[in-house]
Amino acid sequence: MTMKSLLGTVSLALLLGSGSVTAQAQIAIGHLADYSGGTSEVGQPYGQAVADTFAWVNKNGGVGGTQLNVDTNDYCDQVPRAIAR
């Protein structure tokens, strides 16, 4: 690949990528927490701290002005359930 075609490809990717980022209204984030499983004694406060942190980020303008859309799932300390999420 020549330098000219490489620069053209990178420029096109940046142009297309920047358009899709500005069109996106939120940033989707998945959050697995153990609220009710065997390690819930630790999972509950930790999971709540993570959720509180995401809420704080959104309250203070999000990430680069974009809000976070957090999907929290309780996986009950079951690995197959966590993988399925």
Side-chain angles (χ1 to χ4, degrees), residues 1-12:
M1 178 177 278
T2 66
M3 183 60 82
K4 187 175 181 179
S5 65
L6 176 64
L7 289 174
T9 303
V10 169
S11 297
L12 180 60

Side-chain angles (χ1 to χ4, degrees), residues 34-84:
D34 180 22
Y35 289 131
S36 61
T39 58
S40 63
E41 186 175 306
V42 175
Q44 288 176 356
Y46 179 79
Q48 187 60 55
V50 171
D52 290 347
T53 301
F54 288 138
W56 182 87
V57 169
N58 280 339
K59 183 179 176 183
N60 290 284
V63 176
T66 304
Q67 295 290 299
L68 304 176
N69 180 10
V70 182
D71 181 21
T72 300
N73 290 291
D74 180 9
Y75 74 102
C76 302
D77 196 29
Q78 298 173 0
V79 174
R81 188 172 180 174
I83 292 171

